[in-house]
């Protein structure tokens, strides 16, 4: 059997693949995304595919792979880059990497929240460019977590992990919204399930950790921002398309909301001339939520083991139920 790997991955994952003796591996050995033409050529006739969230695995790719393809293993928890209906139709199994990146992404979410609300990048820049002249009572003031209300959009694994880390900061109240109430998850934080509009109106900090679906696409838009407090801060570590970036820009420029922190954007990478990058009250990171050495290594091993199990027709460590 043959498998195609669309990118250079941590050596632990590659070692798991090569040492198993289950398949021969062809790899796009680069840190940069594989060109479309190389992807189409690389998947041809392969039995397995290990891909990344930046690889669009659509009907064209599936057609190019042909009838041999039996398993797609993605090095991600998100699966919005996969044409799931088409994949299901062809009887192809899908492996993914949930749980492993929960802690790292939650840590990054909290770091991004603190960076945005306490104006850390702006303050660090002032030290470098001579803006720091003396201690001033009102200079670089931001917003603290103590006695605040935090609204979480999507109280899944990562949403819960974020709340767990924010609770010791003295957060007074947690709100959450999603497709349905999750009382068993919310009880730890005494979090209240509320409509999206109420979450926007009452939260001092809004943390977006939901999946990207047709229902959540563009959910944080002009109407949402207009309901938020002028002192509120928005954090998005889910998927860029959940937030309408044009509406966010207007909300930040007009002072409709205080600040934002994004680890995900549309597109990725964000063009260097994008209007959001001109704003001091918007902190943007290059999708590094899971970027710890241990997490990325564990993700690669899980993705490799999913692929190997799928090729052998065995149960996967982490299979997406289609």
């Amino acid at each position: 059997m043959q498998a195609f790997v669309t990118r250079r991955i941590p050596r632990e994952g590659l070692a798991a693949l090569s040492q198993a003796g289950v398949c021969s591996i062809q790899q796009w050995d680069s840190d940069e995304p594989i060109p479309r033409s190389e992807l189409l050529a690389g998947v041809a006739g392969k039995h397995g595919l290990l891909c990344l969230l930046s690889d669009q695995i659509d009907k064209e790719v599936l057609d190019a792979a042909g009838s041999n393809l039996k398993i797609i293993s993605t090095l991600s928890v998100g699966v919005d880059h996969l044409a799931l209906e088409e994949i299901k139709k062809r009887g192809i199994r899908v492996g993914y990497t949930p749980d492993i990146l929960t802690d790292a992404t939650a840590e990054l979410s909290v770091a991004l929240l603190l960076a945005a609300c306490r104006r850390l990048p702006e303050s660090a820049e002032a030290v470098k460019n001579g803006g720091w002249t003396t201690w001033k009572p009102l200079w670089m003031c931001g917003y603290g977590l103590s006695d605040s209300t935090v609204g979480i959009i999507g109280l899944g694994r990562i949403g819960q992990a974020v709340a767990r880390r924010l609770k010791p900061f003295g957060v007074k109240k947690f709100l959450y919204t999603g497709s349905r109430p999750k009382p068993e998850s919310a009880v730890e934080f005494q979090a209240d399930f509320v409509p999206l509009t109420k979450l926007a109106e009452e939260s001092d900090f809004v943390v977006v950790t939901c999946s990207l679906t047709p229902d959540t696409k563009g959910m944080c838009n002009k109407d949402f921002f207009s309901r938020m407090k002028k002192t509120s801060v928005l954090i998005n570590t889910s998927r860029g398309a959940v937030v309408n970036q044009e509406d966010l820009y207007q909300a930040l420029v007009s002072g409709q909301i205080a600040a934002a922190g994004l680890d995900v954007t549309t597109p990725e990478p964000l063009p260097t001339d994008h209007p959001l990058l001109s704003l001091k009250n918007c902190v943007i990171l290059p999708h590094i939520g899971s970027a710890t050495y241990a997490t990325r290594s564990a993700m690669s091993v899980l993705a490799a083991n999913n692929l190997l199990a799928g090729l052998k027709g065995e149960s996967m460590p982490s299979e997406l139920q289609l």
Side-chain angles (χ1 to χ4, degrees):
M1 287 187 285
Q2 296 180 313
F4 187 66
V5 180
T6 65
R7 193 81 63 88
R8 187 178 294 154
I9 63 173
R11 63 179 182 275
E12 294 85 355
L14 201 58
L17 284 177
S18 55
Q19 290 167 15
V22 171
C23 59
S24 60
I25 303 295
Q26 183 184 339
Q27 181 186 30
W28 177 255
D29 191 17
S30 170
D31 288 328
E32 297 305 314
I34 184 170
R36 184 72 173 181
S37 59
E38 295 288 347
L39 174 60
L40 294 173
V43 298
K46 298 298 189 292
H47 301 88
L49 172 65
L50 195 158
C51 64
L52 275 63
L53 53 83
S54 51
D55 302 318
Q56 287 302 315
I57 308 303
D58 53 18
K59 186 176 183 298
E60 184 183 24
V61 173
L62 298 172
D63 286 342
S67 59
N68 279 349
L69 189 64
K70 59 200 298 189
I71 162 71
I72 296 171
S73 176
T74 181
L75 190 76
S76 66
V77 62
V79 292
D80 47 279
H81 58 300
L82 305 178
L84 293 179
E85 286 303 317
E86 192 65 33
I87 288 167
K88 182 179 180 180
K89 229 191 293 183
R90 298 173 188 231
I92 299 168
R93 297 170 67 191
V94 174
Y96 69 134
T97 60
D99 297 330
I100 284 178
L101 49 70
T102 297
D103 287 339
T105 305
E107 289 170 3
L108 191 279
S109 300
V110 173
L112 186 53
L113 189 156
L114 292 170
C117 76
R118 293 300 303 272
R119 302 170 68 177
L120 301 188
E122 191 181 348
S123 297
E125 187 57 35
V127 175
K128 294 177 184 177
N129 65 22
W132 181 20
T133 56
T134 185
W135 189 91
K136 307 172 210 173
L138 298 178
W139 190 58
M140 289 296 174
C141 285
Y143 300 95
L145 280 156
S146 184
D147 290 325
S148 68
T149 296
V150 173
I152 297 178
I153 300 178
L155 196 67
R157 297 181 191 91
I158 294 172
Q160 291 169 52
V162 169
R164 201 167 289 124
R165 284 159 174 77
L166 290 179
K167 195 176 179 182
F169 281 90
V171 172
K172 181 175 66 177
K173 187 177 183 182
F174 285 100
L175 306 175
Y176 75 102
T177 194
S179 56
R180 59 178 176 82
K182 293 185 173 181
E184 68 290 344
S185 302
V187 66
E188 180 183 347
F189 321 105
Q190 280 120 33
D192 295 332
F193 181 75
V194 296
L196 184 66
T197 51
K198 186 173 183 181
L199 184 142
E201 290 162 359
E202 297 188 7
S203 299
D204 299 299
F205 302 93
V206 174
V207 185
V208 184
T209 57
C210 60
S211 301
L212 176 62
T213 68
D215 289 335
T216 62
K217 186 174 183 180
M219 175 185 280
C220 298
N221 55 20
K222 184 178 180 180
D223 178 67
F224 181 86
F225 299 132
S226 71
R227 295 173 185 273
M228 287 175 67
K229 302 174 184 178
K230 292 187 183 299
T231 53
S232 292
V233 178
L234 175 85
I235 302 299
N236 184 16
T237 54
S238 60
R239 285 291 183 267
V242 176
V243 173
N244 182 310
Q245 291 176 174
E246 290 70 28
D247 291 352
L248 175 61
Y249 175 79
Q250 291 302 327
L252 289 168
V253 165
S254 65
Q256 183 65 59
I257 67 173
L262 310 175
D263 185 42
V264 286
T265 60
T266 304
E268 292 183 0
L270 200 64
T272 54
D273 61 352
H274 194 282
L276 282 172
L277 292 173
S278 68
L279 302 180
K280 290 181 179 179
N281 59 343
C282 188
V283 180
I284 299 180
L285 302 178
H287 203 150
I288 56 169
S290 63
T292 69
Y293 289 113
T295 299
R296 292 283 172 85
S297 170
M299 286 173 69
S300 72
V301 171
L302 177 54
N305 288 335
N306 282 337
L307 182 70
L308 293 168
L311 288 171
K312 292 187 284 187
E314 298 173 355
S315 130
M316 285 185 225
S318 191
E319 181 168 1
L320 185 70
Q321 299 306 315
L322 298 178

